[in-house]
Amino acid sequence: MDSVGVRKMKKVLKKSDIYKGNLILIHPNYLLQEEIQDNVLESYSEEYREIKLQKIANKFLQFILREMKVGNKIVPVSGYRTLEEQEKIWKDSLEENGEEFTRKFVALPNASEHQTGLAIDLGLNEGEIDFIRPAFPHHGICNEFRDYAKRYGFIERYKEEKKQITCISAEEWHFRYVGYPHSEIIEMNHFCLEEYIEYLKQFRYSINPLSFKNYEISYLPYEDNIEISLENTEISGNNMDGFIITRKIS
């Protein structure tokens, strides 16, 4: 490969890249730093054009639903939200449901994963569907979806036993795209995303990566002008202090 080709396969990481990627942690202590651009979003479907997701998340979500042949048994309830939309949902819930309920089930503006375009609320299509708390029980077709989800990059983000860490009560309907193999590692170890981000910090880039199946995963703290090879590699900021490097080993 010539020198021009080599340059094309590398990326110089900037501080702003910490706040981008499929694995960014969104939490009251780690707020979303920048709005998502429209060109990375697409509609869930022709029927639900107003519900949008990042293209990569929607690609795998639609694949799961086709494989399962769910038809209209599972429907989308809420996807990407702008800051203004999240502010309105927060304000409306405070007025309608009170502060205690709202703090349990509605994320503060800029602390909502929905603003990343990587989160989707799904509902079991039976009767009236609650926008804030759609039913997505842990049995039947909904549990079948959970089994598929971890194989294709999605996690059930908010679980009851992790609410002291996530600062959100259990949300059986809320799924977050993190990409594979991260979804399987998270579910296999019963991590929440906060725990997984911290867990990865022991696996330093180019020193002692985590090996999982045919992947190597590592953490790279931010420094000025770090250059990373992009060959078979995905890079995500963690929205905190560095990057998660995922390399597929052929």
Side-chain angles (χ1 to χ4, degrees), residues 81-182:
R81 300 172 190 163
T82 64
L83 172 60
E84 291 74 21
E85 287 170 332
Q86 188 65 29
E87 287 173 336
K88 185 176 188 307
I89 290 168
W90 175 266
K91 181 175 179 291
D92 289 350
S93 182
L94 282 175
E95 293 175 356
E96 295 171 13
N97 304 308
E99 184 172 353
E100 182 179 357
F101 175 95
T102 299
R103 289 193 177 277
K104 282 183 179 179
F105 297 109
V106 181
L108 286 160
N110 283 336
S112 171
E113 290 195 325
H114 286 283
Q115 290 177 245
T116 68
L118 295 168
I120 183 78
D121 290 349
L122 298 172
L124 186 61
N125 193 14
E126 293 183 353
E128 187 174 347
I129 297 174
D130 187 317
F131 178 78
I132 299 294
R133 295 193 298 168
F136 206 81
H138 285 84
H139 57 75
I141 195 170
C142 297
N143 249 13
E144 185 182 349
F145 175 86
R146 289 180 175 89
D147 287 338
Y148 272 87
K150 65 185 177 185
R151 291 182 250 159
Y152 295 100
F154 284 88
I155 58 171
E156 183 180 344
R157 176 69 173 95
Y158 299 115
K159 298 182 178 181
E160 183 67 20
E161 66 270 22
K162 304 294 185 179
K163 66 183 180 181
Q164 297 303 318
I165 302 171
T166 64
C167 300
I168 293 286
S169 290
E171 293 193 353
E172 62 187 16
W173 55 85
H174 181 107
F175 292 87
R176 160 71 189 269
Y177 182 77
V178 294
Y180 189 87
H182 308 288

Side-chain angles (χ1 to χ4, degrees), residues 31-231:
L31 301 178
L32 185 70
Q33 298 297 308
E34 25 183 283
E35 285 278 328
I36 302 303
Q37 301 300 309
D38 283 344
N39 63 358
V40 304
L41 298 169
E42 68 180 13
S43 294
Y44 174 91
S45 68
E46 284 296 318
E47 184 178 359
Y48 296 96
R49 291 192 60 80
E50 75 285 0
I51 296 179
K52 295 183 178 183
L53 287 169
Q54 284 204 37
K55 293 175 183 178
I56 185 67
N58 199 43
K59 172 186 173 181
F60 285 104
L61 177 59
Q62 296 304 325
F63 177 83
I64 292 168
L65 298 173
R66 285 195 302 271
E67 286 291 296
M68 290 179 59
K69 298 180 173 61
V70 299
N72 67 348
K73 295 175 185 175
I74 292 174
V75 294
V77 178
S78 184
Y80 168 70
R81 300 172 190 163
T82 64
L83 172 60
E84 291 74 21
E85 287 170 332
Q86 188 65 29
E87 287 173 336
K88 185 176 188 307
I89 290 168
W90 175 266
K91 181 175 179 291
D92 289 350
S93 182
L94 282 175
E95 293 175 356
E96 295 171 13
N97 304 308
E99 184 172 353
E100 182 179 357
F101 175 95
T102 299
R103 289 193 177 277
K104 282 183 179 179
F105 297 109
V106 181
L108 286 160
N110 283 336
S112 171
E113 290 195 325
H114 286 283
Q115 290 177 245
T116 68
L118 295 168
I120 183 78
D121 290 349
L122 298 172
L124 186 61
N125 193 14
E126 293 183 353
E128 187 174 347
I129 297 174
D130 187 317
F131 178 78
I132 299 294
R133 295 193 298 168
F136 206 81
H138 285 84
H139 57 75
I141 195 170
C142 297
N143 249 13
E144 185 182 349
F145 175 86
R146 289 180 175 89
D147 287 338
Y148 272 87
K150 65 185 177 185
R151 291 182 250 159
Y152 295 100
F154 284 88
I155 58 171
E156 183 180 344
R157 176 69 173 95
Y158 299 115
K159 298 182 178 181
E160 183 67 20
E161 66 270 22
K162 304 294 185 179
K163 66 183 180 181
Q164 297 303 318
I165 302 171
T166 64
C167 300
I168 293 286
S169 290
E171 293 193 353
E172 62 187 16
W173 55 85
H174 181 107
F175 292 87
R176 160 71 189 269
Y177 182 77
V178 294
Y180 189 87
H182 308 288
S183 52
E184 187 167 338
I185 298 170
I186 288 169
E187 294 293 351
M188 182 177 66
N189 289 282
H190 306 287
F191 288 143
C192 59
L193 185 55
E194 288 82 355
E195 291 171 316
Y196 183 58
I197 296 296
E198 287 301 315
Y199 170 73
L200 290 180
K201 288 185 176 182
Q202 67 187 291
F203 302 103
R204 291 302 180 104
Y205 177 71
S206 78
I207 299 173
N208 63 327
L210 169 66
S211 294
F212 181 80
K213 296 186 176 179
N214 57 333
Y215 293 90
E216 287 185 350
I217 304 162
S218 54
Y219 165 71
L220 178 64
Y222 172 74
E223 294 178 14
D224 287 335
N225 299 317
I226 300 175
E227 190 174 68
I228 296 288
S229 169
L230 295 178
E231 187 174 1

